[in-house]
Amino acid sequence: MNIPRTSYPRIVIIGGGFAGVALAKKLSKREVQVVLLDKNNYHTFQPLLYQVSTGGLEPDSIAYPIRKILKNFPNFHFRLANVNEIDAESNKVITNIGELKFEYLVIASGAKTNYFGNKVIEAHSMAMKTIPQSLNLRSLILENFEDALLTSDLNERNALMNFVIVGGGPTGVELAGALAEIKKGILPKDYPDLDTRLAQIHIIQSSDCILKGMSKKASEKAEDFLEKLGVNIWKNVRVTNYDGMTVTTNTDLTFETATLIWAAGVKGATIKGMDETYMVTKGNRLLVNAYNQVKGFEHIFAVGDVANMLTDSFPNGLPMMAQPAIQQGDQLGDNLLRLIEGKPMEPFVYKDKGVMATIGRNKAVVDLKRFKFQGIFAWYVWMFVHLFFLIGFRNRVVVFVNWVYNYIRFDREARLIIRPFKTRRKVKG
Amino acid sequence: MNIPRTSYPRIVIIGGGFAGVALAKKLSKREVQVVLLDKNNYHTFQPLLYQVSTGGLEPDSIAYPIRKILKNFPNFHFRLANVNEIDAESNKVITNIGELKFEYLVIASGAKTNYFGNKVIEAHSMAMKTIPQSLNLRSLILENFEDALLTSDLNERNALMNFVIVGGGPTGVELAGALAEIKKGILPKDYPDLDTRLAQIHIIQSSDCILKGMSKKASEKAEDFLEKLGVNIWKNVRVTNYDGMTVTTNTDLTFETATLIWAAGVKGATIKGMDETYMVTKGNRLLVNAYNQVKGFEHIFAVGDVANMLTDSFPNGLPMMAQPAIQQGDQLGDNLLRLIEGKPMEPFVYKDKGVMATIGRNKAVVDLKRFKFQGIFAWYVWMFVHLFFLIGFRNRVVVFVNWVYNYIRFDREARLIIRPFKTRRKVKG
């Protein structure tokens, strides 16, 4: 892989998400060599992907070139690579661009969409975990409206304007809210020929409340907000299949739709060689101890979504969110330096800073440790926190400009179909 | 195509570029029905495409949803469509989404890259006429740097870092300047392992000066600016072939490069049925009279790059630039209304507002009718004019923010490889 050996120990990090970047930053300018591998040359700010899908933000403003994050770190090397396998016995990773030996390995490969084994749904539904996926969804939504104009078949037009979101977690809720705002703010102006009432947005949630990870108050208020925006919430319903047109469920309910967005779950993105049964737990995550060491290893670590750390407050593992990832990456940086210097490592303690979700303009829900609040103030807090955690000054300014513009104009201008999703368009009269 | 017939005459416009949009805006709220057809749902501000290719701007900030441009125009209909043929006898256009009758037709289909019949060059080179093409080029440039890190073959590394631009017009000059700034500002910071000196930028120009359409002073100064930036300019050299690795020319010169950018010419994008020999002139453009009527027709017009209007000052036709297109579109709007009301049309008179090109920070050349100037003031004028003509307030603010940021930081942050251009990456040790 053309990376020079130095006298410093080599730490290989797989993944430039929140955890990997926090870790690499912590190791910056220390006496270690860091090699970060990622299949993309950019870090993705995943919490705002739904705004890319719905035309509120351009993709470049929620992503950041990984090379730039660490440009003043002389012993840092980035390589654009897919890691195919980890050979823990010989201490090397095997990638599409060659093999690489390591002294320490940190798996920060994140999570991927969990279809719970349903290949048919996987083939026909849209996911929203990456920038290309979000751009595909943006194209599909816009192409659906364009196609709805062309058909004189009312059933087809209904299906094209019907959006079904599976999963009432933050992703599903935020996306539903954004789609409801498109229905209200953009459809009537830009598609005067389309009957806005046909645009239906559904959330299908398998349990009896949305935003399960949040407080009862937040969940109820979010439901209230969504219903006021015209979103239909179907609770205690489980999607059983989707063939590209009809969604079937475990009840009598069915939905005719051209767009099923699967936000029903994620699972750890484990890597071949480090996916033995004894180390993998619920959600396909790697079991780690309080030092983020993967079960059975002293020099192989996992952080972020792919790591499963069981704590007293979180007996099923820390939530798969940005905060635990950032904190773990940061703490592991210190621990690796301690380990290299022969000092004892310190156990990770998660500082729960709260959870939040936005539903739409002036509408968000925030659960802090001591305070829970909803509405316009929560919305401001949500925006402030997201701007704060976004990497890069330029990104913050551009996102801020877009938010102000969208707020004042009730608009979303990043609506280009630059990755046509439907390979062929139907020919109608 | 599901467009209702009203009592108003129907004007069909093919193409939502500068000419088509200017025309549609002029017809807004008048007693006509306007149907605009474009294969994209967005208008592209082509003069800034080179900044997308080089990571200076995000694509969404130089494009604009066509539907939004005319949202307060009740008799306006937009359809996302490819026009396959014009049936002038039956007054209809035939598209991939059906046929459409018209009373008046305006062809504003613009221009496309002219390879002068060389299919091999077309297959291996990069063009920069559309947003997807610009994003492909952006990906390729970045992928080349990533690949250059992986190879230990010096010839291969050279070829990956060697950029050959064919054509010394504004596109070639502006792109070369931007690449030179990447070489100076980004390569040393982000790719410390790569020897910056290997990054070579070449412009190959078939005639004896660059920026042929501008004054001698502008051309010389641009050449001077480029040479100071380290760009190699090869004049009186014609590229004869490129197989994906070696560029051959009509001289002894050859270049080994992984990236050939073809900016050597454009030609009118004529449409089947309106491409008879008698109506097509030099540059594959449709011959029009002073009213923009296509030769032989009273109700079929052409405007912008695809139209060839011969004037005393421009005996070879108006230049294929934004200004003639905007002015023609605007004027044709008035003429169409006159024609419908039975009044005589007025001939088009081109107001030459000047030509400009930018080479890099603080470096531009401007030719106005009375003044010709170069350097930092020209650069400010260039920026001001481009911001002014950009459509959309949000776009202007976002472009402005990016330019200020890039200027202060010597940076370009829109560097995501979101459309991997190389389908497979080489596996090296």
Side-chain angles (χ1 to χ4, degrees):
Chain A
M1 215 179 275
N2 258 3
I3 293 170
R5 266 297 190 182
T6 64
S7 56
Y8 295 144
R10 178 184 286 167
I11 301 170
V12 172
I13 305 172
I14 303 173
F18 287 113
V21 165
L23 169 61
K25 276 184 169 173
K26 201 56 176 270
L27 296 174
S28 170
K29 294 176 197 167
R30 307 306 292 261
E31 298 191 330
V32 289
Q33 182 186 59
V34 173
V35 182
L36 178 60
L37 306 174
D38 197 295
K39 56 182 178 292
N40 294 312
N41 73 331
Y42 53 87
H43 164 83
T44 305
F45 191 75
Q46 292 188 348
L48 291 176
L49 281 174
Y50 80 97
Q51 297 215 0
V52 171
S53 299
T54 51
L57 293 173
E58 40 270 87
D60 305 76
S61 64
I62 66 153
Y64 198 81
I66 292 177
R67 290 193 174 279
K68 252 190 80 78
I69 298 174
L70 293 145
K71 64 174 184 228
N72 293 317
F73 180 9
N75 299 310
F76 175 74
H77 301 269
F78 171 74
R79 290 292 181 276
L80 192 60
N82 279 307
V83 177
N84 299 324
E85 192 175 344
I86 294 164
D87 182 344
E89 281 198 12
S90 340
N91 288 336
K92 66 183 182 187
V93 292
I94 298 155
T95 79
N96 66 321
I97 58 165
E99 300 185 355
L100 189 69
K101 297 274 271 180
F102 57 80
E103 271 76 58
Y104 301 94
L105 175 69
V106 182
I107 305 168
S109 46
K112 56 186 182 182
T113 307
N114 191 353
Y115 297 95
F116 305 101
N118 192 323
K119 294 275 174 204
V120 185
I121 291 180
E122 184 171 353
H124 292 100
S125 68
M126 306 298 289
M128 214 177 58
K129 281 294 285 178
T130 68
I131 284 186
Q133 283 174 351
S134 297
L135 288 173
N136 285 341
L137 179 55
R138 177 174 96 177
S139 288
L140 180 62
I141 293 168
L142 294 166
E143 287 173 303
N144 282 343
F145 291 143
E146 297 295 337
D147 285 349
L149 281 171
L150 302 180
T151 180
S152 40
D153 176 340
L154 193 66
N155 287 332
E156 194 188 354
R157 192 181 299 157
N158 265 321
L160 287 164
M161 294 179 68
N162 209 5
F163 297 91
V164 176
I165 299 163
V166 188
T171 304
V173 164
E174 297 185 323
L175 183 65
L179 285 171
E181 294 194 340
I182 287 179
K183 173 180 173 175
K184 200 173 151 194
I186 290 168
L187 267 187
K189 282 187 218 157
D190 276 18
Y191 297 87
D193 305 348
L194 286 178
D195 186 342
T196 308
R197 291 169 300 179
L198 295 183
Q200 291 288 320
I201 301 143
H202 305 277
I203 292 180
I204 302 179
Q205 167 70 342
S206 57
S207 66
D208 62 355
C209 69
I210 60 169
L211 295 180
K212 253 194 319 187
M214 295 187 69
S215 64
K216 190 154 182 289
K217 179 88 187 161
S219 164
E220 284 171 2
K221 196 71 190 175
E223 205 170 308
D224 185 42
F225 283 147
L226 283 169
E227 277 168 0
K228 284 203 179 110
L229 284 169
V231 174
N232 308 292
I233 303 173
W234 306 92
K235 290 181 287 192
N236 296 310
V237 175
R238 200 178 285 274
V239 168
T240 49
N241 221 340
Y242 175 60
D243 60 3
M245 193 41 86
T246 307
V247 183
T248 56
T249 68
N250 64 338
T251 70
D252 286 349
L253 269 177
T254 59
F255 301 85
E256 299 294 309
T257 181
T259 316
L260 183 85
I261 299 139
W262 189 257
V266 290
K267 60 179 179 182
T270 49
I271 297 164
K272 191 181 162 194
M274 288 296 285
D275 54 357
E276 302 294 323
T277 323
Y278 73 90
M279 51 178 99
V280 177
T281 57
K282 204 176 164 233
N284 201 43
R285 300 167 84 186
L286 294 172
L287 189 62
V288 295
N289 63 16
Y291 309 103
N292 281 100
Q293 286 163 314
V294 176
K295 191 179 164 78
F297 296 91
E298 299 233 313
H299 65 309
I300 298 182
F301 301 79
V303 284
D305 284 358
V306 76
N308 200 11
M309 189 185 283
L310 311 177
T311 68
D312 289 344
S313 318
F314 294 94
N316 291 317
L318 293 175
M320 292 162 95
M321 298 190 314
Q323 270 305 319
I326 294 169
Q327 292 178 28
Q328 284 183 341
D330 196 63
Q331 156 106 4
L332 180 57
D334 289 329
N335 270 339
L336 279 170
L337 295 170
R338 286 188 193 106
L339 190 63
I340 289 165
E341 290 166 12
K343 295 180 191 159
M345 297 194 288
E346 287 183 8
F348 175 77
V349 179
Y350 175 51
K351 287 173 208 74
D352 189 353
K353 294 189 175 170
V355 191
M356 51 182 73
T358 191
I359 292 96
R361 53 191 299 124
N362 302 336
K363 296 181 190 69
V365 292
V366 175
D367 283 358
L368 301 186
K369 211 155 186 178
R370 284 161 206 279
F371 306 101
K372 309 199 189 310
F373 50 100
Q374 302 86 30
I376 187 162
F377 180 65
W379 190 64
Y380 284 117
V381 170
W382 180 91
M383 285 196 294
F384 176 80
V385 167
H386 281 74
L387 279 179
F388 181 82
F389 279 102
L390 200 58
I391 295 180
F393 177 74
R394 190 200 69 99
N395 282 353
R396 285 182 196 148
V397 177
V398 171
V399 167
F400 182 73
V401 165
N402 276 291
W403 283 353
V404 170
Y405 180 87
N406 298 347
Y407 186 73
I408 296 172
R409 299 288 297 266
F410 291 82
D411 207 341
R412 294 159 178 268
E413 281 193 357
R415 300 212 304 269
L416 321 187
I417 303 176
I418 48 170
R419 302 167 65 90
F421 186 73
K422 298 183 179 176
T423 43
R424 53 187 165 66
R425 291 171 59 75
K426 274 158 262 149
V427 181
K428 293 255 164 164
Chain B
M1 214 180 277
N2 258 5
I3 293 170
R5 266 296 188 181
T6 64
S7 57
Y8 295 145
R10 177 184 286 168
I11 300 169
V12 172
I13 305 170
I14 303 173
F18 287 114
V21 165
L23 170 61
K25 275 184 170 171
K26 200 56 176 269
L27 297 172
S28 169
K29 295 178 195 165
R30 308 305 290 262
E31 296 191 330
V32 290
Q33 182 185 60
V34 173
V35 182
L36 178 59
L37 306 174
D38 198 295
K39 55 181 179 293
N40 293 313
N41 74 330
Y42 52 87
H43 164 82
T44 304
F45 192 76
Q46 292 187 348
L48 291 177
L49 281 174
Y50 80 97
Q51 296 214 0
V52 171
S53 299
T54 50
L57 293 173
E58 41 269 88
D60 306 76
S61 65
I62 66 153
Y64 198 81
I66 292 177
R67 293 194 172 278
K68 252 191 80 78
I69 298 174
L70 293 144
K71 63 172 187 234
N72 293 316
F73 181 9
N75 299 309
F76 175 75
H77 301 269
F78 170 75
R79 289 293 182 274
L80 191 60
N82 279 307
V83 177
N84 300 323
E85 192 176 344
I86 294 164
D87 182 344
E89 281 198 11
S90 337
N91 289 335
K92 65 183 184 189
V93 293
I94 298 155
T95 79
N96 66 322
I97 58 166
E99 301 183 356
L100 188 69
K101 297 274 270 178
F102 57 80
E103 272 76 59
Y104 302 95
L105 175 68
V106 182
I107 305 169
S109 45
K112 55 185 182 182
T113 306
N114 191 354
Y115 298 95
F116 304 100
N118 192 322
K119 293 278 173 202
V120 184
I121 291 179
E122 185 172 352
H124 292 101
S125 68
M126 306 298 289
M128 213 177 59
K129 281 292 288 176
T130 67
I131 283 185
Q133 284 174 350
S134 298
L135 289 173
N136 285 341
L137 179 55
R138 178 175 95 179
S139 288
L140 179 62
I141 293 168
L142 295 166
E143 287 173 303
N144 282 343
F145 291 143
E146 297 295 335
D147 285 350
L149 281 172
L150 301 181
T151 180
S152 38
D153 176 340
L154 193 65
N155 287 332
E156 193 188 355
R157 194 181 298 157
N158 264 320
L160 287 164
M161 294 179 69
N162 209 6
F163 298 91
V164 176
I165 300 165
V166 188
T171 304
V173 165
E174 297 184 325
L175 183 63
L179 285 172
E181 294 194 340
I182 287 178
K183 173 181 173 174
K184 199 173 149 191
I186 291 168
L187 267 186
K189 283 188 217 156
D190 276 19
Y191 298 86
D193 304 348
L194 286 178
D195 186 343
T196 308
R197 292 169 299 179
L198 296 183
Q200 291 288 320
I201 301 142
H202 305 277
I203 292 182
I204 302 179
Q205 167 71 340
S206 56
S207 66
D208 62 355
C209 70
I210 60 169
L211 296 179
K212 254 194 317 187
M214 294 187 70
S215 65
K216 189 154 183 287
K217 178 87 190 164
S219 164
E220 284 172 2
K221 196 72 192 176
E223 207 170 303
D224 185 43
F225 283 148
L226 283 170
E227 276 168 0
K228 283 202 181 114
L229 284 169
V231 174
N232 309 292
I233 303 174
W234 307 91
K235 291 182 286 193
N236 297 309
V237 175
R238 201 178 284 277
V239 168
T240 50
N241 221 340
Y242 175 60
D243 60 3
M245 192 42 86
T246 307
V247 183
T248 56
T249 68
N250 64 338
T251 72
D252 287 349
L253 269 176
T254 59
F255 301 85
E256 299 294 310
T257 180
T259 317
L260 183 85
I261 299 138
W262 189 259
V266 291
K267 60 179 180 182
T270 48
I271 297 164
K272 192 181 164 193
M274 287 297 285
D275 54 357
E276 302 293 323
T277 323
Y278 74 91
M279 50 178 102
V280 177
T281 59
K282 202 177 163 230
N284 201 45
R285 299 167 84 186
L286 295 172
L287 189 63
V288 296
N289 63 16
Y291 310 102
N292 282 102
Q293 286 163 315
V294 176
K295 191 180 166 77
F297 296 91
E298 300 233 313
H299 65 308
I300 298 182
F301 301 79
V303 284
D305 283 357
V306 76
N308 200 11
M309 189 184 283
L310 311 177
T311 69
D312 290 344
S313 319
F314 294 94
N316 291 318
L318 293 174
M320 292 163 93
M321 298 191 313
Q323 270 304 318
I326 294 169
Q327 292 178 28
Q328 285 184 340
D330 196 64
Q331 156 105 1
L332 180 57
D334 287 329
N335 271 338
L336 280 170
L337 295 170
R338 287 189 192 105
L339 189 64
I340 289 165
E341 289 166 12
K343 295 180 190 158
M345 296 193 290
E346 288 182 8
F348 175 76
V349 179
Y350 175 50
K351 287 174 210 74
D352 188 352
K353 293 188 176 170
V355 193
M356 52 182 73
T358 191
I359 292 96
R361 55 191 299 124
N362 302 337
K363 295 182 191 68
V365 292
V366 175
D367 283 359
L368 301 187
K369 212 155 186 179
R370 285 161 207 277
F371 305 102
K372 307 197 190 313
F373 49 101
Q374 302 87 30
I376 187 160
F377 180 64
W379 190 65
Y380 283 116
V381 170
W382 180 91
M383 285 197 294
F384 176 79
V385 167
H386 281 75
L387 279 178
F388 182 82
F389 279 101
L390 200 58
I391 296 180
F393 176 73
R394 189 199 68 98
N395 282 353
R396 286 182 196 147
V397 177
V398 171
V399 167
F400 182 73
V401 165
N402 276 291
W403 283 353
V404 170
Y405 180 87
N406 296 348
Y407 186 74
I408 296 172
R409 298 288 297 265
F410 290 80
D411 208 340
R412 293 158 178 270
E413 280 192 359
R415 298 211 305 269
L416 321 186
I417 303 175
I418 49 171
R419 302 166 64 89
F421 185 73
K422 298 183 180 176
T423 42
R424 50 184 170 66
R425 293 171 60 75
K426 274 158 258 146
V427 180
K428 293 254 164 167

